[in-house]
Amino acid sequence: MSEGKQPVSRRQFLNYTLTGVGGFMAAGLMVSPLRMAIDPVLQESSAAGDFTNVKLAVEDITDEPQRVDWEIEQVDGWYESKVGKSAWVYKDENGDIVALSPICKHLGCVVSWEGSDDHPDKFYCPCHDGLYYKDGMNVPGTPPTAGLDIYEHKVENGMLFLGKAQPREEA
Amino acid sequence: MKWIKKDLQQFIQAKEYVDTAVVPLLPFQLSNDAKLDKDAFQSEALTVFLRELEKELTGRVMLIPEYHYVKTADKEAELDRIRNWMNDIQAQPFHHVFFITSDSSWKKHEQALPGTMIWLPITSDESADPGRMQSIIREHVQQVSELIRSYWKDSKT
Ligand code: FES
């Protein structure tokens, strides 16, 4: 949906394909938020406080979670690559913006809002039927043992900017 | 999961959750000038596709390193080599094995492949518009993960 709107230059796409192997490795590193949190090298490279405009106007955010996708440059030591990121974004009952990481806290598959017809009003992980409530907390009795990470966010000129996804405080 | 140290450390811990192996079959050739760019593009696109697919289903899928072969090679001989790979891979308890390729010549040998073949018809015609190419790949990822999930569902019941 939203990626269709994003203009992608030829160069960007070439980078996307040509840096395939590097992106591959980087993508793997991104999967572990824990590693991000404890590894100062990685932390430095993604410069805490780096926010990306995810091309979503705040007025277009509803109480229904929608998926946004964007790309960030990532430097791992000497290697620079582009990494695709995603978030589920909505406004909670107080009107506050919530941006959740789609990475399942069990083994890292990508969860979807209402991804299973059997589980309305939940985030669903297709890999081992993991479930999360709308606020991102894991449903007890399903494989995940923690809630989805939460993105830092800020609003500038009516546009949503997302920063780093942070694990929740120990539940 | 991929065949990299970090993922394999996790794999050892969580084996019982990783029941699916995906084996990419990637042809290459350097002998036919007329098709070089086309063939290479197909391979690039499939690589991007695999990276995205792996991301989507990383917790249950092991992405096997790419199986490369010369495009014109005799498929019977390749099948022997693939079976060797599989003998090793099957030392782990994978219930589902998918072979992913955009080389249509495997179609004839589908039955002989020790797993389910998924043929991905990626053409280079779309490459004129990278934005479109990206969304095509994304669509393929959605469809193929649907398909893989349907196998998971069937094995549950
Ligand atoms: S990876 Fe999400 S439930 Fe296992």
Side-chain angles (χ1 to χ4, degrees), chain B residues 75-92:
Chain B
K75 289 287 182 303
E76 293 300 333
E78 294 301 333
L79 276 167
D80 278 343
R81 218 175 119 227
I82 289 176
R83 281 190 210 102
N84 276 336
W85 279 45
M86 289 316 296
N87 285 341
D88 184 89
I89 292 167
Q90 291 289 17
Q92 303 294 346

Side-chain angles (χ1 to χ4, degrees), chain A residues 104 106-109 125 127-130 143-144, chain B residues 59:
Chain A
C104 182
H106 179 222
L107 291 173
C109 294
C125 177
C127 284
H128 316 100
D129 297 325

Side-chain angles (χ1 to χ4, degrees), chain B residues 1-15 18 54 58 61-65 92 94:
Chain B
M1 294 181 183
K2 300 179 288 287
W3 202 71
I4 59 172
K5 179 179 164 190
K6 178 182 73 69
D7 285 4
L8 294 167
Q9 284 168 341
Q10 194 179 29
F11 173 71
I12 299 287
Q13 306 288 324
K15 260 187 205 187
V18 188
E54 190 277 335
T58 188
V61 168
M62 175 64 71
L63 180 63
I64 305 297
Q92 303 294 346
F94 293 120

Side-chain angles (χ1 to χ4, degrees), chain A residues 34-53:
Chain A
L34 187 65
R35 171 123 198 255
M36 288 290 288
I38 57 179
D39 191 329
V41 178
L42 289 177
Q43 203 157 37
E44 206 178 85
S45 66
S46 60
D50 247 1
F51 284 82
T52 310
N53 181 348

